Amino acid sequence: MRLSVLATPDLPVATSVFWVHHGTRLAGGDVTYLNQYVLVRIGRAFGACAFEAGSLEPEVCAELSGRPVADLLRGPAPVRLAALDAYLGQARPHSEDPRAERLTLPYGTPEERAVARDRAIAGLLPEPEGRRIALIGVVNPLVAAIRERGGECLPCDLNLRRTQWGDPVSPDMEEVLAEADAVVATGMTLGNGTFDRILERCRDRGVPLVLYAQSGSAVARAFLGSGVTAVSAEPFPFSQFSAEPTHLYRYREGTDE
């Protein structure tokens, strides 16, 4: 991603930079999801990026809070994505984007909210029945939601080896990208260096690409219609951090301004 925003004069200050280390084990599962996020606040917007353990130190919070956004855009990749996400989210909030379909996730348990969220994501897939759907970044409720819509899920993840139902999870992104009729990828790919390859392969093969983005939700939106077919954008605070109703925003290619 080219950070042409650096050429913009009078960039704002990042009011705060903070770090969240979050663990979740859903009922009925045997996997504890361990996620680290770096978050940046600019004005009314929060930007976020999940990152692999050990790739960023918490000292960045003290070092970068209160610094100009331009400084953050020269930092480590997760910080750059979170800062750009906040900048774009402040410039154009999802709630004010006429292309966005706002969905309210219900008050409920972690399991109830995860199922509602992941059904909403799977609902962005065009005609999934009988098709092979690569899932890059595995969460079990999303595997289930793809199957509910009749798709054959091809799960891929760097950390998980099996789904809740014992299905093997490939560590090789190229393997599932070569076989898939459509691809669903997490917004974390925007921050870990894999998104460009996913986008390239989907363009080359002419297959739909859906991004489900807590990480970089406003950045993911910028690729809509340029190789990305649809986006589920879920800005911070994320569904797993609350039992109260929260919103996600669905975008589809071809939706008019």
Side-chain angles (χ1 to χ4, degrees):
M1 290 179 292
R2 295 179 180 176
L3 299 177
S4 56
V5 70
L6 282 170
T8 303
D10 302 322
L11 284 175
V13 164
T15 307
S16 60
V17 177
F18 58 106
W19 165 302
V20 175
H21 189 167
H22 181 253
T24 299
R25 178 173 291 203
L26 297 174
D30 59 359
V31 174
T32 301
Y33 299 99
L34 297 174
N35 299 111
Q36 295 78 219
Y37 303 88
V38 61
L39 297 109
V40 174
R41 183 170 188 174
I42 298 173
R44 300 179 184 89
F46 291 87
C49 183
F51 58 90
E52 294 291 344
S55 62
L56 197 66
E57 298 301 327
E59 286 77 14
V60 298
C61 303
E63 294 169 1
L64 296 177
S65 293
R67 299 285 293 275
V69 170
D71 291 353
L72 277 65
L73 293 175
R74 298 185 180 94
V79 173
R80 295 200 305 268
L81 182 70
L84 184 60
D85 188 30
Y87 177 83
L88 295 176
Q90 165 69 9
R92 190 173 198 182
H94 293 292
S95 60
E96 298 176 9
D97 193 323
R99 299 170 298 172
E101 173 195 10
R102 188 171 83 166
L103 297 182
T104 301
L105 301 178
Y107 171 79
T109 66
E111 293 76 23
E112 291 166 339
R113 286 170 57 77
V115 167
R117 179 197 63 207
D118 292 347
R119 283 176 174 167
I121 295 166
L124 290 169
L125 283 165
E127 301 178 358
E129 187 168 359
R131 304 176 76 191
R132 294 165 298 178
I133 312 298
L135 176 59
I136 300 174
V138 174
V139 286
N140 285 310
L142 187 47
V143 175
I146 290 169
R147 289 174 172 165
E148 283 179 3
R149 297 203 62 209
E152 176 190 350
C153 188
L154 307 178
C156 176
D157 198 282
L158 290 176
N159 298 310
L160 296 180
R161 295 285 70 89
R162 292 196 175 273
T163 70
Q164 178 180 334
W165 304 275
D167 311 284
V169 175
S170 174
D172 185 355
M173 181 178 76
E174 296 292 344
E175 179 180 81
V176 299
L177 288 173
E179 298 177 10
D181 300 308
V183 176
V184 181
T186 176
M188 187 176 177
T189 61
L190 291 160
N192 68 11
T194 58
F195 174 73
D196 287 350
R197 179 58 178 167
I198 294 169
L199 186 66
E200 177 185 40
R201 291 291 284 142
C202 289
R203 284 172 172 168
D204 289 347
R205 298 190 59 236
V207 301
L209 172 57
V210 176
L211 293 181
Y212 67 102
Q214 292 182 334
S215 296
S217 66
V219 179
R221 176 183 60 182
F223 288 93
L224 193 68
S226 298
V228 172
T229 310
V231 174
S232 172
E234 189 182 352
F236 185 82
F238 308 138
S239 56
Q240 63 265 38
F241 293 149
S242 176
E244 298 296 324
T246 55
H247 303 300
L248 62 78
Y249 300 85
R250 297 199 304 186
Y251 296 85
R252 291 177 172 87
E253 183 180 30
T255 305
D256 294 334
E257 292 278 344

